[in-house]
Amino acid sequence: MSYRRSVSICQGITGICSMKIKELYQGLWNAVDGICDKRYLKDRPKSVPVSERPDSYIVISLPYSIYNNEISDTGVYNDFTTTVQIEIFVRDKVSSKNPNEFNVLAMSDKVDKVMKLFPIITEQFTVTKPRITMQDGDGDGFSVTIIQGFLRTK
């Protein structure tokens, strides 16, 4: 990528055009409200006080490049695309027989609620094409399901 093209993309993302990363995160934050006990942007915290330990939480991120699909010399168009990642964490059930039992009912309920949001439509963007990309344990007592979607600004 040339320096000039790189500068144009950065200028577009930071505010010369009407697309702002803050607005993308805010729209996603609002969309997933009420599905889990907590919501986090980009990363989950390394630890939380015991009194605030959630049984479930969502992490919203934009982990990939944000592409400017229409670019002029000044980068003023507003047609950006990227991948949205929504990670759903649900605390494993703990018992003497199985200390890390997957809480399939709670995870299924939360995944269903997120999938029913699609397409996610705000004034600034639309998120379509949801796909469940992974289900695994995090090693810290939670199971995680990752859902990705295709975001396009308006």
Side-chain angles (χ1 to χ4, degrees):
M1 176 184 303
S2 72
Y3 172 74
R4 182 177 176 169
R5 180 172 166 84
S6 171
V7 168
S8 294
I9 289 172
C10 290
Q11 287 173 340
I13 289 172
T14 57
I16 288 180
C17 75
S18 63
M19 196 280 292
K20 293 183 175 59
I21 291 174
K22 173 188 159 203
E23 291 173 354
L24 301 181
Y25 275 112
Q26 186 66 55
L28 294 165
W29 177 270
N30 293 341
V32 301
D33 186 31
I35 294 174
C36 289
D37 298 338
K38 299 262 187 187
R39 296 170 287 171
Y40 301 107
L41 298 178
K42 200 170 146 303
D43 292 308
R44 64 184 179 168
K46 298 218 183 282
S47 66
V48 295
V50 174
S51 62
E52 296 177 23
R53 287 178 40 184
D55 288 327
S56 64
Y57 58 92
I58 288 181
V59 177
I60 304 160
S61 61
L62 305 170
Y64 303 103
S65 297
I66 298 175
Y67 297 100
N68 188 344
N69 299 304
E70 296 181 70
I71 193 156
S72 68
D73 290 338
T74 60
V76 295
Y77 294 102
N78 192 29
D79 180 24
F80 292 88
T81 57
T82 192
T83 298
V84 169
Q85 186 162 289
I86 300 171
E87 298 168 273
I88 303 169
F89 289 82
V90 173
R91 185 177 302 284
D92 293 333
K93 292 181 183 179
V94 178
S95 69
S96 57
K97 289 182 180 181
N98 188 350
N100 294 316
E101 183 180 350
F102 177 47
N103 191 343
V104 69
L105 295 177
M107 182 63 80
S108 180
D109 176 57
K110 293 177 186 329
V111 169
D112 287 348
K113 287 178 180 177
V114 170
M115 295 300 283
K116 286 178 182 175
L117 295 173
F118 287 89
I120 299 171
I121 300 171
T122 72
E123 290 182 20
Q124 292 80 25
F125 62 84
T126 300
V127 183
T128 58
K129 302 178 185 174
R131 62 190 180 280
I132 299 173
T133 61
M134 184 184 88
Q135 289 187 320
D136 202 1
D138 70 348
D140 289 326
F142 283 86
S143 294
V144 60
T145 298
I146 297 175
I147 300 171
Q148 293 184 333
F150 177 77
L151 182 145
R152 174 166 241 134
T153 59
K154 295 180 179 179

